[in-house]
């Protein structure tokens, strides 16, 4: 294992993040804080509790997951796309660095950024809404697994994209709508029965449900099923990344 190479890639990506802190940290925190103000304080104070949890506290896991998914994909996809765009990807491919080490560097940095952002949003939420975390270790497990999984997914998008516009297509047109429809602001038990069954085909439901269980011990889907679905998506992303480096798809063109 070339630890020096992993460290070099990781530090390079983290340094790029620190140069854009206003865009990477401040913007997501401010936008999420506005959600807490509008939905948590203004609207939430007029809504009934959901399963014994105030509405303002109920939406915290969904809002954190919304930022976590988008930032994980954005950080990882941009991180690998820039070397392709600048042509420096060939230096990386010709270096004595395996695909595992390359992925660990880029995905590790992207996941670290997303985890830091998620924890920062969690601390910010405390200012607006009182809440407790029933299972903190499970919460951290879901936070890390989700960040790593969607950083891998973002890495795949970054390899697939051949222009800056394509970097935004999947997050904007697929991931964000699925997150909003995945129970970020409501329990799927509030939907008609037919829509409850349809919603179960949305993979983000399992992420939000498991994450919410870690906070309040209540979920729309069993926590074991949520962990299993997250592990399956992680395995699929790893398989796709392995195939990309094995075939050189969009890397050696």
């Amino acid at each position: 294992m070339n630890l020096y190479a992993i460290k070099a890639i990781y530090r390079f990506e983290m340094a790029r993040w620190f140069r854009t802190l206003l865009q990477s940290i401040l913007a997501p925190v401010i936008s999420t804080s506005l959600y807490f103000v509008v939905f948590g304080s203004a609207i939430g104070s007029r809504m009934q509790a959901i399963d014994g949890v105030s509405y303002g506290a109920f939406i915290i896991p969904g809002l954190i997951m919304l930022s976590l998914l988008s930032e994980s994909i954005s950080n990882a996809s941009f991180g690998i796309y820039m070397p392709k765009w600048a042509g420096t990807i060939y230096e990386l491919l010709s270096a004595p660095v395996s695909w595992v080490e390359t992925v660990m560097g880029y995905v590790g940095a992207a996941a670290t950024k997303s985890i830091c952002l998620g924890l920062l949003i969690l601390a910010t939420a405390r200012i607006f809404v009182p809440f407790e975390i029933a299972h903190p270790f499970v919460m951290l497990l879901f936070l890390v697994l989700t960040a790593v999984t969607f950083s891998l997914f973002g890495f795949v998008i970054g390899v697939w994209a051949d222009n800056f516009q394509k970097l935004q297509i999947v997050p904007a047109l697929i991931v964000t709508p699925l997150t909003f429809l995945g129970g970020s602001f409501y329990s799927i038990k509030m939907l008609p029965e037919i829509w409850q069954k349809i919603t179960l085909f949305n993979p983000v439901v399992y992420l939000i449900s498991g994450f919410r269980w870690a906070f309040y011990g209540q979920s729309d889907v069993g926590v074991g099923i949520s962990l299993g679905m997250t592990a399956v998506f992680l395995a699929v992303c790893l398989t796709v990344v392995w195939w990309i480096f094995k075939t050189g798809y969009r890397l050696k063109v």
Side-chain angles (χ1 to χ4, degrees):
M1 184 68 70
N2 190 342
L3 296 179
Y4 182 82
I6 298 173
K7 182 180 178 181
I9 296 172
Y10 181 88
R11 291 181 63 182
F12 178 82
E13 285 299 301
M14 293 302 294
R16 181 173 60 81
W17 183 55
F18 284 116
R19 290 194 299 268
T20 58
L21 280 180
L22 288 179
Q23 177 183 352
S24 304
I25 293 291
L26 192 58
V29 170
I30 290 177
S31 62
T32 307
S33 298
L34 292 175
Y35 279 115
F36 286 126
V37 171
V38 175
F39 291 96
S41 300
I43 298 178
S45 60
R46 299 174 179 271
M47 296 188 65
Q48 296 181 350
I50 302 177
D51 295 330
V53 180
S54 67
Y55 185 73
F58 182 84
I59 65 174
I60 289 175
L63 288 177
I64 294 176
M65 195 61 66
L66 177 63
S67 297
L68 192 70
L69 299 188
S70 60
E71 290 301 313
S72 296
I73 294 174
S74 175
N75 289 326
S77 60
F78 191 79
I80 190 60
Y81 178 77
M82 284 305 295
K84 288 179 51 187
W85 178 76
T88 56
I89 188 70
Y90 299 108
E91 298 177 9
L92 180 63
L93 294 175
S94 60
V97 182
S98 70
W99 73 271
V100 175
E101 294 154 356
T102 301
V103 172
M104 287 180 67
Y106 280 108
V107 172
T112 300
K113 301 172 193 177
S114 301
I115 292 170
C116 291
L117 178 62
L119 293 175
L120 184 58
I121 292 175
L122 183 63
T124 305
R126 192 76 180 185
I127 300 174
F128 301 97
V129 182
F131 65 91
E132 300 292 336
I133 302 177
H135 308 281
F137 293 107
V138 178
M139 185 275 291
L140 288 174
L141 176 63
F142 268 105
L143 193 69
V144 172
L145 278 178
T146 304
V148 171
T149 301
F150 277 82
S151 293
L152 282 168
F153 185 52
F155 188 91
V156 173
I157 294 174
V159 173
W160 164 76
D162 53 14
N163 56 56
F164 285 98
Q165 183 179 0
K166 285 188 176 180
L167 289 177
Q168 304 298 325
I169 289 178
V170 175
L173 299 183
I174 298 178
V175 176
T176 299
L178 287 179
T179 306
F180 275 95
L181 296 174
S184 296
F185 297 99
Y186 58 88
S187 170
I188 65 173
K189 297 176 183 177
M190 301 167 66
L191 300 174
E193 185 176 353
I194 181 64
W195 284 107
Q196 291 184 32
K197 295 179 180 178
I198 294 174
T199 303
L200 292 178
F201 288 97
N202 180 354
V204 181
V205 166
Y206 302 94
L207 302 175
I208 296 175
S209 180
F211 199 51
R212 185 170 285 134
W213 180 89
F215 278 77
Y216 310 118
Q218 301 173 1
S219 61
D220 296 320
V221 183
V223 64
I225 298 176
S226 297
L227 280 172
M229 293 296 292
T230 305
V232 168
F233 192 38
L234 175 62
V236 170
C237 290
L238 279 173
T239 303
V240 174
V241 170
W242 168 81
W243 176 82
I244 285 173
F245 279 91
K246 178 179 175 60
T247 62
Y249 173 77
R250 294 288 177 100
L251 290 176
K252 300 178 180 180
V253 178

